[in-house]
Amino acid sequence: MAYKIRVILDVEKDVFRDLVVNETTNLEDLHFFIAKSFGFNGQEMASFYKSSDQWEQGEEIPLFDMSEDESNFSMSNCKLSSLLGRKGDKLIYVYDFFSMWTFYVELTEIITTKFEDIPKIVLSFGFPPENAPEKEFVADDNYDDFDAFDDEDGLENIDDIDFDNY
């Protein structure tokens, strides 16, 4: 079987690619294919994230397994079919952690007929901008306790701390 996947770049103007890939493709191969289909070289760090139907970011699947015993998920040991099994299943893909190019990946069709020459781009719309858009990182309200910090010593600057007599 093959999967038709829509990959939408999170930018102001519409930029997306419809890709057809084999269901047994691992995420590392998908990472390179997505990057190249949008004009990137694929040499930057990246991660996929499991996603809810509302595009809420879930568990990370990194490019490389950083665990000591190499027993964690990574793109190379994670097959697409283990994450996307039904039409509408979603992933978030972040490419280049300095620029934070963010993509929304959705399974749009499961193709049961034999599909030749895959992976392939079946629809390309728009062009990525020169630079990634600025991301605004917002914390939940329950982490906004810094305003209640009680400065007992009246210090407002770290240079005012006397470390020799502390």
Side-chain angles (χ1 to χ4, degrees):
M1 280 195 293
Y3 284 172
K4 184 176 178 185
I5 298 171
R6 174 154 290 175
V7 183
I8 303 169
L9 179 58
D10 184 22
V11 291
E12 191 172 315
K13 295 189 177 195
D14 291 340
V15 180
F16 65 87
R17 306 290 182 263
D18 283 355
L19 313 174
V20 175
V21 297
N22 192 305
E23 70 173 331
T24 60
T25 298
N26 68 34
L27 291 184
E28 184 176 24
D29 292 339
L30 184 61
H31 146 70
F32 287 118
F33 191 54
I34 290 173
K36 290 182 182 189
S37 73
F38 282 89
F40 301 111
N41 64 16
Q43 300 303 309
E44 303 296 334
M45 288 297 292
S47 284
F48 281 95
Y49 297 87
K50 294 180 180 180
S51 175
S52 71
D53 287 339
Q54 290 75 40
W55 296 107
E56 295 167 324
Q57 184 174 310
E59 181 183 358
E60 179 182 17
I61 303 158
L63 183 56
F64 302 109
D65 182 356
M66 303 289 193
S67 66
E68 289 183 22
D69 61 357
E70 298 184 4
S71 63
N72 289 343
F73 257 161
S74 70
M75 288 187 200
S76 65
N77 65 18
C78 188
K79 301 273 187 219
L80 197 53
S81 59
S82 70
L83 298 171
L84 303 178
R86 61 182 173 79
K87 185 177 174 180
D89 283 350
K90 298 169 174 57
L91 295 170
I92 296 171
Y93 170 64
V94 177
Y95 176 76
D96 185 352
F97 293 145
F98 289 112
S99 298
M100 295 295 291
W101 292 101
T102 303
F103 300 81
Y104 300 104
V105 179
E106 182 175 0
L107 177 60
T108 58
E109 185 179 347
I110 298 173
I111 303 168
T112 55
T113 58
K114 188 156 174 68
F115 211 98
E116 298 294 326
D117 300 323
I118 56 176
K120 90 176 357 176
I121 301 169
V122 293
L123 178 63
S124 178
F125 185 88
F127 298 97
E130 289 286 320
N131 298 307
E134 292 289 323
K135 298 289 182 193
E136 181 179 336
F137 297 98
V138 180
D140 293 336
D141 288 337
N142 58 344
Y143 293 108
D144 197 17
D145 293 336
F146 290 109
D147 292 335
F149 180 69
D150 185 15
D151 189 359
E152 295 174 11
D153 297 328
L155 300 174
E156 294 182 16
N157 189 332
I158 195 164
D159 294 332
D160 294 337
I161 299 174
D162 182 5
F163 289 104
D164 294 329
N165 295 319
Y166 214 75

